[in-house]
Each structure stands twice: as structure tokens, then as C-alpha cells.
Amino acid sequence: MVERTRNISTDLAVIGSGLAGFAASIFALNRNIRTTQVGDSGAVTYTTGYLDLLGYHFPEPMDLLDDPWRGLQQLKELHPSHPLSRISGNDIRDAFGQVTDFLNECGIHYSSPGGKNLQALTPAGTVKPTLCMPETMLPGVNAFHNKKSAVIVDFKGLKGFSGKQVVANLKNRWPGLTTCRIEFPDARPGELYPEPMARALETPYNREKLATRLIEAAGGCNYLGLPAILGIHKPDKVRRELERLTGLTIFEIPTMPPAVPGIRLREMFQQIFPQKGLTLIPQQKVKKLILHKTRATLELTDNLGPVMIETKCVLLATGRFLSGGLQAGFHGIRESLLDLPVAQPESRSNWYKKRYTDRNGHPINQAGIEVDSSFRPLDDQKKVFSKNLFAAGSLLAHQDWIRGRCGAGIALGTAFKAVEAAAQYLRK
């Protein structure tokens, strides 16, 4: 049987399903741009749920940053080529505000971007600075800050989270912290994973059975920390119900990725975007992208056969090596779809420093594509590659988002500016 090609016409095609890609779609929806998003594996499921703007001073010392907005000013002075140095503070605030407003409207409540970083708990038992977080995690920040007595609960057989590890690494800074291991209701012997536990807690029967065990585990403490398992679609409701049943203040701590907070975001986007008029083709990879003078063509294949997307402009948010936006080979680093020039060390021998923990980081982590002030990729001559091509997220050069704890900041800030520039292009 010959498969017929399905044709889609759109104004903006967003390629990528990480945080930058989803943020770009939110900004495009807010601007009433007819948008189609295509993404491969859903890199957003690897997020902890925290939205980091900027967490560390640059370049030295590597101290926790309490005020990310002041840190951005310092970043502009020391690293003018960093993507965040090219965006105003007001635009970054607007970007975070639009994304958290959208998430709140769609049922996953987030804290609003404030003037200071929050001290977020990690599954390793460390604390990291972040600007916004799910409200299911917020009481943990307050309990840590006020040194309230608390119990971290983990579950027999659970992978990716250890209450003992959290307590061992935090007890010097949080004296009243203890841990307790319990069995998840009706769990079969063997390994447990956060996602099915979260889905199980969406039913009242399982919440009621768990609540009884949590009351026993609390041992008189008022604060109870759990791995992030409080439901997939309505985590705030699950937390409220467990708090009502136990009389305790409950908070979540992310588990190791892929984690429930990222799965929540992915499933919410996949449900909500089509309802709002956005065409979403998830879990698929663009095979070919052809740029014409005033339009572009994307080719891919999904479960129903070949798909061809005709668009006026394209936004690349394809990520780095793990997501397939960049490819590393013996002769250098390549951009995967268009073979765009990649700013990178002169030779492979310069990709890494000798020490894995080198304080200055590894040069390969700052490799990426360069863009102009409108976030359009540049060619070998430092000229705009195509007027209808834009780029955002970790694909961009001159940043090390892991060391800077600025992944969401780069994703949201650059997507905001790239969509703004795309909107201007479409108006011409």
C-alpha cells in the first residue's frame, strides 16, 4: 500500500521538545501565531521541575547566587557573548512570568518569579538555587530555611531516591531532619519506579491507604518530605488531599531523571497545546529541513505515514548532544539538521580539561551555534544564515548551562526573544 503524504501549513514551525521548544510554543500561542511543534524524545522529562535562571557567580568563585538578577548584570560585564547577556532583565522576567502563568492556568501550579533564588532540595541531599518551582515542592524550601523538624520518607524498592542519602548530606545544615522507609500500598515485591506510583496516587483509595502509613512515619513531626510521586495530572490536588488526610505539611523532592515533574509537563503540553490550536507532533524527529527564500519545508514520518510541513519560518530548539541537536565526531562537532557552523574548540584534544572537576569547566560545553541579535543563526562569514530561521535553548554557543545552573533561563529567555523576532518577521 502506498502511504499518502499528509501536508500541514503553518506560520511557525518549532523543532524540539525540550523546555526551549515548549516555551517557544507558549510564547507563540500568546502572540496568536499559527504554530506547529515537532519533537523527538521529550527531553523535558529529564527536568527536575525546577526553573533555574542563574545559580552561580561567573567566573569565580563558584558561590551560590542569592540574587540572580544582580548576577545577570555581572554576567553581562564578564561574558557579553553569553545568551543571557543579550536579553534584558525585563524580557527574562516576562518570559518566566508567561511560562509560569501558563502552567498555573493549565493545572500545574508554580511559584512566581521573585527577586531572589529559592534554595531547592535535590535527590542527592544537596541544595541548589532556582527561581521558580512547583508548589508541591515549596514547603520543603520553607522547612529547610526555618530548620523545622521533618521526616524524609522513601519506599522499599524505589529507584532513584534515598531518604538516607538526603538526610546524610543535609543533617549538618538541617539538624531536625530524619528519614523513614515504608512500603507503598499494594506494591508488589521488587523494584518500584516513581511514575507508576504517581499514577496510583491519583485514586482516592491509594491516597487513603498511604495516608495511614505516612502518619505513622511522621512520628510527631509536622513536615513530611516525599519523592516526587504526588500524581501526574493533578499534583496539587493529590498533595492537598494527603495533607487533609494526615494533618501534615507535605512536600516533594525530585527523584533522579526521568522524573515525574518532567513527565507531568510533557503530558500537560501534549494535552493542552492541541486544545489551544497548536499542531503538536510529539515523539517524532524531523528528517529533512529545506530553507527557501520566504518559506521552509520540513519532512518527517509518524505512525500514520509521511508528513510534510510548509512553514513561513522555523525555530530550532533541538538541544545539544543528548537531544541530537549537535553531533560529535572525530573531526569536530556538527549541527544535525542544516550543518550550521558550530563555534567549538580548534581541535578535539581541546574539548576537555585534564581534571573532570576543573573549576573553569570543559570547553566542549560551550560549543554551539552563534546567532545575531534577533537569534538567527550565523554562517561561516558571521552573516545571517537565513532570515526565516531562528534558534533558542542549549543549542546556542558561549554558555555552560550546567555549571551556571541557568538551563531554564537560557531556554525561556532565548525562546522568548526568538519568537519575538519571528513575530516581527511574520508581520513584514
Side-chain angles (χ1 to χ4, degrees):
M1 186 177 75
V2 178
E3 292 181 318
R4 299 182 62 180
T5 299
R6 298 178 354 257
N7 296 294
I8 296 173
S9 176
T10 192
D11 290 336
L12 172 64
V14 175
I15 305 176
S17 61
L19 195 53
F22 283 120
S25 289
I26 292 172
F27 302 139
L29 282 170
N30 288 346
R31 291 178 175 274
N32 295 316
I33 297 175
R34 195 167 54 121
T35 302
T36 297
Q37 182 181 352
V38 185
D40 183 14
S41 61
V44 75
T45 61
Y46 285 84
T47 68
T48 59
Y50 296 143
L51 299 180
D52 306 340
L53 170 53
L54 186 63
Y56 284 95
H57 281 290
F58 279 81
E60 299 289 350
M62 290 292 286
D63 291 334
L64 289 174
L65 198 58
D66 182 50
D67 185 343
W69 307 104
R70 186 176 178 184
L72 287 174
Q73 292 300 320
Q74 187 180 25
L75 187 68
K76 288 181 180 181
E77 296 169 5
L78 296 173
H79 292 275
S81 59
H82 192 287
L84 285 176
S85 297
R86 309 170 71 172
I87 309 172
S88 73
N90 286 338
D91 282 343
I92 293 173
R93 286 181 191 274
D94 198 359
F96 272 80
Q98 286 194 32
V99 169
T100 52
D101 285 350
F102 185 92
L103 298 177
N104 291 336
E105 176 192 337
C106 296
I108 297 180
H109 293 142
Y110 263 72
S111 63
S112 299
K116 301 287 186 180
N117 272 328
L118 303 167
Q119 301 304 307
L121 305 174
T122 75
T126 57
V127 177
K128 60 170 277 186
T130 191
L131 188 65
C132 304
M133 65 171 60
E135 290 192 356
T136 55
M137 300 179 183
L138 206 52
V141 175
N142 299 327
F144 171 70
H145 178 76
N146 296 310
K147 303 296 181 281
K148 297 287 187 181
S149 295
V151 177
I152 304 299
V153 172
D154 72 6
F155 295 89
K156 186 177 180 181
L158 175 62
K159 298 299 177 183
F161 187 86
S162 167
K164 285 186 177 179
Q165 182 181 7
V166 172
V167 173
N169 289 329
L170 276 176
K171 63 182 180 182
N172 290 337
R173 303 170 65 187
W174 194 349
L177 191 65
T178 59
T179 185
C180 180
R181 174 164 291 183
I182 64 176
E183 291 189 358
F184 193 76
D186 299 332
R188 296 177 180 176
E191 296 182 348
L192 276 180
Y193 293 91
E195 181 180 350
M197 296 167 72
R199 296 190 189 279
L201 288 180
E202 292 186 330
T203 62
Y205 171 80
N206 288 320
R207 290 198 293 269
E208 290 169 5
K209 293 195 73 171
L210 177 62
T212 302
R213 301 181 186 190
L214 293 180
I215 292 172
E216 295 176 1
C221 285
N222 292 324
Y223 285 84
L224 203 67
L226 295 173
I229 58 168
L230 300 182
I232 296 292
H233 301 292
K234 296 180 178 178
D236 300 285
K237 176 183 176 181
V238 172
R239 183 170 73 94
R240 282 196 306 272
E241 284 295 301
L242 281 176
E243 288 189 334
R244 181 184 64 79
L245 292 166
T246 62
L248 303 169
T249 299
I250 291 175
F251 59 91
E252 287 186 310
I253 300 172
T255 60
M256 298 301 288
V260 164
I263 295 170
R264 287 173 187 154
L265 293 177
R266 183 192 66 189
E267 295 201 5
M268 186 203 70
F269 289 134
Q270 290 179 352
Q271 179 183 10
I272 296 296
F273 278 170
Q275 295 176 10
K276 290 183 174 291
L278 184 142
T279 301
L280 180 64
I281 306 176
Q283 309 299 327
Q284 302 299 332
K285 193 170 185 176
V286 174
K287 293 181 178 177
K288 184 183 289 186
L289 168 60
I290 303 172
L291 294 171
H292 309 284
K293 190 173 181 180
T294 58
R295 61 184 178 87
T297 305
L298 286 67
E299 296 179 10
L300 63 141
T301 302
D302 66 8
N303 295 334
L304 300 178
V307 179
M308 182 170 289
I309 301 172
E310 290 282 344
T311 182
K312 294 178 181 175
C313 57
V314 175
L315 195 157
L316 283 182
T318 45
R320 300 180 67 76
F321 302 102
L322 182 63
S323 301
L326 297 177
Q327 295 178 343
F330 286 109
H331 303 294
I333 301 168
R334 293 182 60 252
E335 187 278 325
S336 303
L337 264 179
L338 294 166
D339 203 15
L340 295 167
V342 175
Q344 57 187 290
E346 289 186 0
S347 74
R348 186 184 172 99
S349 61
N350 295 328
W351 284 5
Y352 300 100
K353 297 289 182 63
K354 289 184 179 179
R355 291 186 58 190
Y356 178 76
T357 56
D358 193 292
R359 292 172 65 85
N360 294 315
H362 300 284
I364 190 173
N365 292 335
Q366 298 211 26
I369 65 171
E370 296 182 309
V371 292
D372 73 349
S373 59
S374 296
F375 288 85
R376 294 175 297 188
L378 302 179
D379 64 14
D380 287 328
Q381 305 302 313
K382 306 297 181 186
K383 295 180 180 179
V384 171
F385 188 85
S386 177
K387 291 183 178 179
N388 61 347
L389 178 67
F390 306 87
S394 62
L395 178 66
L396 303 185
H398 309 304
Q399 50 83 23
D400 186 343
W401 66 269
I402 295 176
R403 291 183 72 242
R405 298 292 187 271
C406 55
I410 291 172
L412 272 58
T414 59
F416 182 85
K417 296 301 291 183
V419 171
E420 179 185 74
Q424 292 174 353
Y425 171 83
L426 290 169
R427 284 197 294 269
K428 292 179 180 177

